[in-house]
Amino acid sequence: MSLTMDTLVSLCKRRGFIFQSSEIYGGTGSCYDYGPLGVELKQNIKRLLWRDFVQSRADMVGIDASILMHPTVWKASGHLDHFTDPMVDCRECKLRFRADHVDTLPWTHYCPATKGNKFTIPPGEPCSHCGARRTLCPDCGKGELTAPRQFNLMFKTFMGPVEEDASVAYLRPETAQAMFVNFDNVLQSMRMKLPFGIAQAGRSFRNEITPGNFIFRTREFEQMEIEYFVNPHDTVEGRPADEYWHDRWIADCMAWFRRYGLSGENLRLREHDKDELSHYSKRTVDIDYRFPIGWSELMGIANRTDFDLRQHAKFSGKSLTYFDEERKEHVVPYVVEPAMGVDRALLAFMADAYVEEEVRGEKRVVLRFHPELAPVKVAVLPLLKKRDEIVRTARAIRADLAKQWRVVYDDTAAIGRLYRRQDEVGTPYCVTVDVQTVGDSEKGEAGDGEVTIRDRDSMEQARVPMDALPAVFHDLLNGGAWSQVAARYPAAK
Ligand SMILES: [Zn+2]
Ligand SMILES: [Zn+2]
């Protein structure tokens, strides 16, 4: 079985991961809202990125910059002049197309050889009746198309109350530029030594003409970018420092995706061809993922040389250099840029975690999330919701564990159904409170104070004392194996 995007979209909506934006008004084109579980998953991804690539490293710091920046930033970065797609317009129906996409669309044709009958012809093919090829608008089949014009992908707005040229501002199309324009602030305030990196996670905006494929390409998206500055005169292990660090970052990013569950067979590196490289890039490598739509870019890691710092020094008139104590000279650092789309990473983690299997003749859908990614870590379930003592105990366990993790309580169905629900959203562990736990005071039977923990992946169950739960989950949720719990505690029936 291969997972389709439709299956994923429907699971996301049904289980509160991702909704179409403004759905009750018919939706906003290619905008999505993260629901209660989606926001937890996304925050977990960002938190792990931040922990593993910023907090845990002595050579990294972070910033959180404004989305609105000085308009000259976009002049210096090249976005004003070059961040464009060639567009053509239909003079008749006014639809707009990317010039290089027009012949990838099916086209409408009123055929003169069949008294003007209307046909829809596959992309790039001629009419089978008259042999004509498409020259007019592919959509309405009547209008002529304008010559291609460059259309800038930045969202434009105005700062302040007056809509005039002097107050034009742009929503940032990437987070990277804030790291370059703050290079000296960070260098001086934090007394950084090369090599070091600045990271930022935040929203970016691109007015894509053809967004699509769910959250894969959207006009508003979240990025995590790192600008890693190196001294171009240094060598590491006999290689130029920028080349060494470029390879290190490629390996580190790849390892990061593997660590949190993406399987090796769904990941590959793709080297950009020379003619595909941006004019400033020395080398760019993409990490591609095998999404339900096929192999596509998950993140890119570029060696941007000293282009950005030089551009901003030129346009701002400020020096953006580093003083090399050893060589007693000012240098413009080179920069290696790992750039990741958080939404894409989320899509990849969901797709890779998705498993359909058969359990005792029934279909079971499981998201096998890494425990640190899982939106909900533990679900506490009462076996009988009519027994006050069971419900009270289960709620108390939830409240206690929720001091440390996202833990939910659910009593809205029978236990088998409750397990399936948690499997489908990737909750790694369930805790069940039953009669044995609390005993029966009317019959004078004392409870044993033990609960059942169920492991999502193996579906094995172990009987664990209630007061051991925080320690057990501390182990399990920080990389401990279920087999250790299974070895230490008796299996539950
Ligand atoms: Zn048209
Ligand atoms: Zn024809």
Side-chain angles (χ1 to χ4, degrees):
M1 181 226 57
S2 71
L3 171 65
T4 64
M5 199 64 113
D6 285 347
T7 304
L8 211 49
V9 172
S10 119
L11 172 72
C12 281
K13 176 172 175 178
R14 193 171 72 250
R15 300 313 313 274
F17 283 92
I18 302 170
F19 310 123
Q20 170 77 62
S21 161
S22 317
E23 191 181 343
I24 61 166
Y25 287 104
T28 317
S30 98
C31 292
Y32 293 92
D33 297 345
Y34 286 86
L37 294 188
V39 68
E40 299 282 347
L41 176 59
K42 195 177 179 192
Q43 280 182 2
N44 288 342
I45 293 171
K46 288 191 287 181
R47 185 176 51 80
L48 294 173
L49 279 168
W50 203 259
R51 184 186 72 189
D52 298 339
F53 287 128
V54 185
Q55 284 176 342
S56 68
R57 296 178 59 135
D59 58 346
M60 290 289 306
V61 291
I63 62 167
D64 181 17
S66 285
I67 287 170
L68 298 170
M69 300 180 74
H70 194 285
T72 310
V73 167
W74 309 114
K75 186 76 190 156
S77 69
H79 283 86
L80 266 182
D81 297 325
H82 303 298
F83 194 56
T84 54
D85 277 337
M87 305 299 301
V88 293
D89 294 294
C90 172
R91 295 189 198 279
E92 198 68 32
C93 70
K94 309 296 178 201
L95 273 183
R96 178 168 277 189
F97 307 90
R98 256 179 75 164
D100 51 344
H101 281 182
V102 179
D103 281 316
T104 65
L105 304 169
W107 57 288
T108 302
H109 172 57
Y110 293 89
C111 185
T114 65
K115 299 179 184 151
N117 280 334
K118 182 181 174 184
F119 298 103
T120 301
I121 300 178
E125 289 184 17
C127 169
S128 58
H129 305 283
C130 71
R133 290 195 169 269
R134 187 204 60 77
T135 53
L136 303 173
C137 169
D139 198 73
C140 69
K142 289 178 177 164
E144 297 210 351
L145 296 177
T146 61
R149 280 180 305 189
Q150 292 300 324
F151 173 82
N152 198 293
L153 298 185
M154 282 195 293
F155 278 94
K156 204 180 197 178
T157 185
F158 299 92
M159 293 261 235
V162 189
E163 295 194 6
E164 56 179 27
D165 285 351
S167 59
V168 165
Y170 301 92
L171 303 188
R172 67 181 176 200
E174 59 174 38
T175 60
Q177 298 305 320
M179 270 88 89
F180 300 128
V181 303
N182 278 302
F183 170 76
D184 200 54
N185 284 336
V186 173
L187 182 70
Q188 302 306 334
S189 61
M190 306 305 288
R191 295 175 301 284
M192 305 303 288
K193 295 272 177 263
L194 288 180
F196 74 90
I198 310 176
Q200 178 173 210
R203 303 258 173 172
S204 293
F205 303 81
R206 295 179 186 177
N207 201 2
E208 302 275 1
I209 306 311
T210 46
N213 289 318
F214 195 33
I215 54 168
F216 181 79
R217 191 185 308 282
T218 50
R219 296 191 172 104
E220 174 180 350
F221 55 102
E222 195 141 359
Q223 288 186 298
M224 164 121 172
E225 291 189 296
I226 292 166
E227 307 302 327
Y228 195 77
F229 300 97
V230 303
N231 188 331
H233 301 141
D234 283 350
T235 53
V236 187
E237 294 177 3
R239 305 173 56 202
D242 61 311
E243 295 180 11
Y244 169 85
W245 282 107
H246 193 194
D247 279 333
R248 269 291 292 276
W249 276 106
I250 294 167
D252 286 355
C253 291
M254 198 65 151
W256 191 86
F257 285 117
R258 296 295 308 275
R259 177 176 170 190
Y260 294 108
L262 297 194
S263 61
E265 62 184 27
N266 291 332
L267 288 164
R268 71 175 185 198
L269 294 178
R270 193 181 72 83
E271 193 86 29
H272 281 216
D273 293 335
K274 284 275 169 282
D275 57 354
E276 195 184 347
L277 288 177
S278 323
H279 57 288
Y280 49 77
S281 174
K282 184 165 155 183
R283 180 183 171 221
T284 297
V285 174
D286 286 348
I287 296 179
D288 283 356
Y289 179 75
R290 191 175 2 205
F291 286 96
I293 50 168
W295 286 102
S296 306
E297 182 191 337
L298 178 57
M299 74 174 293
I301 303 134
N303 181 344
R304 298 173 69 114
T305 71
D306 56 5
F307 173 80
D308 304 277
L309 289 179
R310 281 193 190 282
Q311 284 293 102
H312 287 298
K314 186 171 126 194
F315 278 82
S316 68
K318 300 284 192 305
S319 155
L320 296 175
T321 58
Y322 174 85
F323 187 69
D324 181 341
E325 302 277 356
E326 226 174 284
R327 298 179 183 84
K328 301 289 175 219
E329 64 177 4
H330 289 275
V331 296
V332 182
Y334 268 37
V335 66
V336 172
E337 178 189 81
M340 184 188 297
V342 174
D343 311 83
R344 274 184 197 190
L346 184 144
L347 188 61
F349 282 123
M350 284 201 83
D352 221 297
Y354 186 93
V355 178
E356 276 180 21
E357 55 189 26
E358 207 177 289
V359 176
R360 286 181 226 105
E362 271 185 58
K363 185 173 104 170
R364 177 170 98 124
V365 173
V366 198
L367 287 176
R368 291 183 189 264
F369 283 131
H370 185 284
E372 292 207 76
L373 283 179
V376 176
K377 310 301 184 197
V378 180
V380 185
L381 316 169
L383 195 66
L384 296 168
K385 69 167 171 179
K386 290 192 181 114
R387 289 282 293 268
D388 285 352
E389 190 58 24
I390 291 180
V391 168
R392 211 175 318 131
T393 305
R395 287 192 184 277
I397 291 173
R398 189 215 67 86
D400 185 45
L401 296 177
K403 290 174 195 155
Q404 300 186 69
W405 303 286
R406 181 74 183 145
V407 179
V408 299
Y409 169 89
D410 191 3
D411 65 7
T412 57
I415 191 73
R417 184 94 179 275
L418 294 179
Y419 282 152
R420 293 289 177 274
R421 265 187 213 162
Q422 295 301 328
D423 289 342
E424 209 183 18
V425 300
T427 305
Y429 304 104
C430 291
V431 168
T432 307
V433 179
D434 53 27
V435 180
Q436 230 180 310
T437 313
V438 298
D440 191 333
S441 51
E442 281 177 22
K443 292 184 188 163
E445 291 167 7
D448 62 8
E450 293 184 350
V451 292
T452 299
I453 303 184
R454 173 187 180 266
D455 173 51
R456 175 195 68 201
D457 295 344
S458 66
M459 291 184 286
E460 288 175 8
Q461 307 189 5
R463 204 68 191 162
V464 176
M466 266 190 292
D467 53 12
L469 287 176
V472 166
F473 285 125
H474 187 270
D475 284 350
L476 286 174
L477 295 170
N478 286 291
W482 168 257
S483 57
Q484 288 167 349
V485 175
R488 182 156 172 212
Y489 297 101
K493 305 165 277 324

